[in-house]
Amino acid sequence: MQAVLAVMYREFLIRRTSPMWLFFDMLLPLLYLLMFGVALNKAMGAGMQAEGITVSYTEFFIAGVLAMSAFGSATNQSYGFFIDRDNGIFYEFLTYPMTRGQFLFGKILFQCIMSVVQCGLTLLAGVYLLDVSVRWNSIPFVFAGMMIGTAGWFFLFASLAFLIRRNDTFNTVLNGCYFILIFLSSMFYPLDNVPTWLRLASLANPLTWLTDGLRWLVIGVGDASFVLTEMALFVVFLFFSFWLALKALQRAV
């Protein structure tokens, strides 16, 4: 456990000395919620239909903001491997008395804690600034969902960071995944009335599974049995991503 805590302490020191990284970790989702949520909520007027329930766009979008923040936190954390590899500390870390799993676990555990804090700030802003109705009894499960979501995407992008050597190539792949996965998901709009091909593509997207799960937990929108299936699929995605990251880390060495 000391090895895991050492990795977490290093991540804490990086955030403490890098205000910009801390900004992206903590405050960027709030800006998304305040800018897009408020503007589109006014445009929608009387609200929108999602799974047969009328909700305001802000209520619908807040789960998308949470899913986006988990996704963004994972990409930022995985990009840190490039910085570590450029300055040599990455390979030095691998000589320390810790397993590869402990190394990855320490990084993602710290990021999961950051995601929970970020989630709490976003929910408070939604409730007290935008009048979003939140299911408070589900908040512990929302926090758990944020941790699982952040971990799943982190391990996937970490495996790419281990295998891709060029910084520009990694950024290209990362940005491509970001835009494709975000817009082929239920983050910005319900899938009730979209074309069939878009609905099928979205339902095969792990980001949709995460968004739907968080939306059901936060505001109660969604079919419970279907959402639980999506959550189970995301857990499978998490374990597969962790296995992939370990294999990629071994190859990187």
Side-chain angles (χ1 to χ4, degrees), residues 42-175:
K42 289 184 178 297
M44 294 293 178
M48 58 185 298
Q49 288 284 328
E51 300 290 340
I53 300 175
T54 302
V55 295
S56 68
Y57 187 81
T58 306
E59 290 176 320
F60 178 84
F61 186 52
I62 192 168
V65 171
L66 296 178
M68 190 190 304
S69 67
F71 190 86
S73 295
T75 58
N76 291 336
Q77 183 72 309
S78 62
Y79 182 75
F81 288 119
F82 269 94
I83 299 174
D84 289 345
R85 190 156 54 194
D86 288 343
N87 60 32
I89 193 65
F90 173 73
Y91 296 106
E92 183 179 338
F93 254 109
L94 299 181
T95 65
Y96 292 169
M98 70 174 72
T99 65
R100 305 292 187 261
Q102 287 175 323
F103 178 55
L104 290 175
F105 186 65
K107 279 185 167 289
I108 192 53
L109 186 57
F110 178 84
Q111 193 61 50
C112 283
I113 294 173
M114 296 288 288
S115 294
V116 168
V117 176
Q118 182 188 77
C119 175
L121 292 175
T122 304
L123 290 175
L124 289 174
V127 171
Y128 292 106
L129 298 180
L130 304 176
D131 296 323
V132 174
S133 298
V134 171
R135 300 168 65 193
W136 292 107
N137 59 329
S138 298
I139 294 302
F141 299 103
V142 174
F143 290 159
M146 286 294 294
M147 296 176 71
I148 293 172
T150 303
W153 290 114
F154 166 73
F155 291 133
L156 178 65
F157 290 124
S159 64
L160 295 177
F162 296 144
L163 296 176
I164 298 174
R165 296 293 176 177
R166 290 175 57 91
N167 198 327
D168 56 344
T169 303
F170 179 72
N171 281 324
T172 300
V173 173
L174 208 62
N175 288 327

Side-chain angles (χ1 to χ4, degrees), residues 226-238:
F226 184 75
V227 170
L228 290 174
T229 301
E230 289 182 301
M231 290 179 175
L233 288 172
F234 196 93
V235 172
V236 173
F237 170 73
L238 166 63

Side-chain angles (χ1 to χ4, degrees), residues 28-39 61 65 125-126 129-130:
L28 191 60
L30 291 177
L31 295 181
Y32 283 137
L33 179 64
L34 294 174
M35 289 190 299
F36 292 103
V38 172
F61 186 52
V65 171
L129 298 180
L130 304 176

